[in-house]
Amino acid sequence: MIQIEDLRLVEALAQSPSLSAAARALNVTPPALSARLRKLESTLGLALATRTARRLSLTAEGERFAREGSALLAQLEALPESFRREDSRLTGTLRIAAPFGYGRHHIAPLLARFAQIHPDLRLQLDLRETPWPDRHDSDAVIHIGTVRDSSWIARTLAPNARWLCASPAYLRKHGTPTEPRDLLAHACICIRENDEDVTLWRFRRAQGGTGRRQSTRETVRVISTYTSNDGSIARQWAEQGLGLVLRSEWDTAEAVSRGRLVRIMADWEFDSAPVTLLVPTRRGRTARVQALMQFFEEALGGQR
């Protein structure tokens, strides 16, 4: 008979790059986990995973077992909520995934407040380079930018303009660009994230009076002198005078206010990257997720 521990075992294997990592997640030794896996495979009469010296990967049957087992675990965990007391306390575990920078500076403090409101709730915050679409083990995902081909529901929490910035020292030495084509003569710092075309920068400037506004649009393929997959590092490079950076307002506003960076070409707009909350469809949504949605919308909604 399949036990709950078997479901958790395969779920951990699906979320971990190796058997040893899965063992750490379950707080057991790798030999003990390997023995449990062999026993489960023997019970089912099929192979759930393939193992090499460096990597473990699930078979097609293992992926199906992990997918359906995770759904069963979620239902079991949510069961007490259907019998919760009149005080409507939330219990269980809520798993949130968010990008490194925004998650560290904005989501983590908000979750501390959320935890004080719901002290019986266990919170798990996973900071990742690309929390979406790698969200199979999360109840909610914070995403910066647009979302394509999503089977989840997307809620925009806050706007997030992108600012083109450089340090005062860089601008004194190289001059200040005023038009998109001027960027071709400058060192540009690019941020590699979300599989975007990071060197293709799109500009838009509104013209004309009220009621008859027209937009001038331009696209420039900049030369990426410096590239990083960490936006905070890219901003720091710009503060140190290495070049121009196109970065989210939430990460550059403080540096601009303190004079470490200067916002340039402010009359041009760039593609925005709104802060989005992704949650399962209503059918798969728990009371915990519903409460988190309401909390984030109230906390960040004032930024719209």
Side-chain angles (χ1 to χ4, degrees):
M1 179 181 296
I2 296 176
Q3 306 293 323
I4 291 180
E5 289 73 17
D6 297 327
L7 303 180
R8 294 196 176 108
L9 166 66
V10 182
E11 182 182 50
L13 292 174
Q15 297 171 7
S16 305
S18 65
L19 189 143
S20 58
R24 287 193 298 270
L26 295 174
N27 198 27
V28 299
T29 64
L33 186 144
S34 183
R36 285 172 52 184
L37 177 58
R38 287 195 300 269
K39 181 179 179 181
L40 176 59
E41 289 177 326
S42 176
T43 299
L44 296 173
L46 50 85
L48 297 176
T50 57
R51 311 159 183 80
T52 65
R54 295 184 178 181
R55 188 168 180 81
L56 177 143
S57 59
L58 295 182
T59 63
E61 292 79 9
E63 290 179 354
R64 177 186 172 188
F65 190 97
R67 184 171 57 252
E68 297 184 7
S70 294
L72 287 173
L73 286 172
Q75 292 177 20
L76 288 171
E77 193 175 63
L79 185 61
E81 293 186 16
S82 63
F83 300 99
R84 65 181 181 272
R85 295 164 292 183
E86 291 183 358
D87 59 10
S88 299
R89 290 184 187 174
L90 296 179
T91 60
T93 302
L94 185 59
R95 300 164 296 184
I96 304 99
F100 283 108
Y102 193 84
R104 186 179 302 114
H105 293 289
H106 292 271
I107 299 303
L110 287 177
L111 287 180
R113 288 167 47 191
F114 187 70
Q116 293 175 345
I117 299 172
H118 303 286
D120 296 327
L121 192 62
R122 296 187 300 273
L123 295 177
Q124 177 180 319
L125 175 61
D126 292 321
L127 300 182
R128 305 176 184 175
E129 180 182 339
T130 53
W132 186 267
D134 181 22
R135 47 68 180 159
H136 58 274
D137 57 343
S138 302
D139 300 304
V141 176
I142 299 294
H143 178 76
I144 305 296
T146 57
V147 179
R148 303 178 181 86
D149 300 328
S150 170
S151 59
W152 283 20
I153 303 298
R155 295 284 187 91
T156 299
L157 297 177
N160 179 35
R162 283 174 171 168
W163 289 2
L164 184 62
C165 300
S167 71
Y170 177 90
L171 297 176
R172 285 194 298 270
K173 184 175 181 180
H174 300 282
T176 302
T178 58
E179 299 291 332
R181 292 292 168 184
D182 295 345
L183 300 183
L184 297 176
H186 286 268
C188 294
I189 304 169
C190 294
I191 304 165
R192 187 177 64 253
E193 58 185 358
N194 298 332
D195 296 325
E196 294 181 358
D197 190 345
V198 298
T199 62
L200 190 66
W201 291 3
R202 298 180 177 86
F203 303 78
R204 181 177 65 257
R205 180 164 62 184
Q207 296 177 332
T210 303
R212 297 191 62 182
R213 296 178 66 85
Q214 296 180 344
S215 294
T216 298
R217 297 177 180 270
E218 291 194 31
T219 302
V220 175
R221 175 72 70 180
V222 301
I223 298 174
S224 179
T225 309
Y226 307 98
T227 305
S228 175
N229 66 339
D230 189 311
S232 296
I233 289 176
R235 188 206 69 242
Q236 292 169 16
W237 284 349
E239 292 179 17
Q240 294 163 4
L242 295 186
L244 310 177
V245 68
L246 181 59
R247 181 64 178 148
S248 294
E249 176 184 357
W250 69 262
D251 191 40
T252 53
E254 181 182 359
V256 170
S257 68
R258 294 180 178 274
R260 298 194 303 269
L261 289 176
V262 176
R263 185 185 178 190
I264 57 179
M265 293 176 56
D267 54 337
W268 289 87
E269 296 178 355
F270 303 85
D271 289 344
S272 63
V275 180
T276 303
L277 175 66
L278 293 152
V279 296
T281 59
R282 185 171 298 276
R283 182 178 179 182
R285 196 181 304 166
T286 65
R288 295 187 295 272
V289 172
Q290 196 72 30
L292 183 73
M293 289 173 57
Q294 181 177 352
F295 175 80
F296 276 156
E297 288 177 343
E298 292 175 354
L300 296 172
Q303 301 178 21
R304 296 184 185 181

